[in-house]
Amino acid sequence: MSDERYLTFALCKGRLARKTLELFEKVGITCEEINDPDTRKLIFVNEELKLRFFLAKGPDVPTYVEYGAADIGIVGKDTILEENRKIYEVLDLGFGKCRMCVCGPESARELLNSQERIRVATKYPNIAKDYFYNQKNQTVEIIKLNGSIELAPIVGLSEVIVDIVETGSTLRENGLVVLEEVCPLSARVTVNPVSMRMENARITELLEKLSSCVGGC
Ligand code: PRP
């Protein structure tokens, strides 16, 4: 047991990490110090189970997993699609549910059915490109933004946006609507392909525990 190496988890900072840690606790994986709001530590260890955890910005999680700096990463499907890294997606954790949608004012609906070269603002240029170019066969201009995407059609930067819709309240409060749905999203477990082979027994056991708890246990 003592020569067992650490399994390292990359968690996506914020609400997803809190939900993930709650789920881990339910299956007996605990990490006290990560819950300390005042800590400046970046990496947390459970010596008994030989596990390490760190928090990273969402888009960096698949990068850590692809390079094997983390064996396992927990991140939203939106980030997995956008980053397109060489990692395995192995489990849908069922929380963090939302949708990737094309949104805009109702008046933009007809533009989506035309072959007009409209402007699309988004934090997810790869997802938007794939949707418009490969699925809809519509040539559009994609404008990358870093947040508050709903502003773009309001101030005339773009006709529509591709963005995450959870409750829909941001859209409602800004006079925008869902025009088309791109895909459903939720938190996923990702694994480094080499780790999956080398640590198969430990990772499989962990995934079984987690999947038996998905949706409540
Ligand atoms: C996300 C997303 C929408 C909003 C959707 O933004 O980009 O703006 O949440 O949630 P709702 O449907 O429940 O209103 P986030 O708060 O992550 O910040 P951002 O604008 O900086 O991307």
Side-chain angles (χ1 to χ4, degrees):
M1 223 23 199
S2 57
D3 59 354
E4 201 174 39
R5 78 169 185 90
Y6 285 96
L7 267 190
T8 303
F9 292 77
L11 309 180
C12 178
K13 263 186 197 170
R15 198 148 49 108
L16 221 54
R18 284 193 291 280
K19 291 277 242 175
T20 303
L21 291 167
E22 273 172 37
L23 174 66
F24 280 11
E25 279 199 9
K26 284 186 189 159
V27 300
I29 298 170
T30 51
C31 187
E32 286 298 310
E33 50 179 8
I34 204 170
N35 294 316
D36 175 359
D38 297 324
T39 187
R40 303 294 295 166
K41 267 181 118 173
L42 294 171
I43 190 139
F44 307 92
V45 181
N46 179 325
E47 289 293 351
E48 200 191 322
L49 299 173
K50 289 276 179 206
L51 303 175
R52 300 197 303 174
F53 304 87
F54 65 85
L55 299 172
K57 285 258 187 189
D60 295 340
V61 169
T63 313
Y64 284 107
V65 176
E66 177 178 294
Y67 284 90
D71 300 288
I72 296 172
I74 317 276
V75 68
K77 177 72 177 175
D78 49 318
T79 307
I80 297 173
L81 290 171
E82 183 62 25
E83 297 301 315
N84 198 22
R85 293 280 179 180
K86 292 185 197 75
I87 56 179
Y88 293 154
E89 180 192 320
V90 293
L91 182 64
D92 182 346
L93 291 175
F95 55 75
K97 277 199 171 132
C98 47
R99 299 180 293 157
M100 186 65 72
C101 297
V102 181
C103 311
E106 188 56 52
S107 59
R109 194 180 291 277
E110 59 188 294
L111 294 173
L112 292 171
N113 297 319
S114 68
Q115 278 305 310
E116 247 178 276
R117 194 186 161 93
I118 56 169
R119 286 175 302 183
V120 180
T122 186
K123 203 152 81 168
Y124 301 91
N126 293 327
I127 293 177
K129 222 175 279 171
D130 179 68
Y131 181 69
F132 279 99
Y133 284 63
N134 301 333
Q135 300 187 42
K136 285 190 55 128
N137 287 316
Q138 183 174 2
T139 306
V140 296
E141 183 176 345
I142 302 209
I143 302 172
K144 163 85 199 267
L145 288 179
N146 294 295
S148 304
I149 315 299
E150 290 82 358
L151 258 179
I154 298 171
V155 299
L157 176 65
S158 70
E159 281 74 32
V160 297
I161 60 174
V162 167
D163 200 19
I164 290 174
V165 178
E166 191 181 352
T167 61
S169 57
T170 310
L171 291 179
R172 268 193 305 279
E173 287 181 27
N174 291 289
L176 306 173
V177 293
V178 170
L179 299 168
E180 290 175 358
E181 183 171 325
V182 178
C183 62
L185 306 168
S186 56
R188 310 290 163 98
V189 180
T190 62
V191 181
N192 171 274
V194 177
S195 305
M196 195 70 200
R197 270 204 315 278
M198 305 297 284
E199 297 289 338
N200 192 269
R202 285 174 88 191
I203 293 176
T204 305
E205 189 191 334
L206 174 86
L207 292 174
E208 276 167 8
K209 276 189 198 163
L210 290 176
S211 63
S212 71
C213 236
V214 168
C217 58

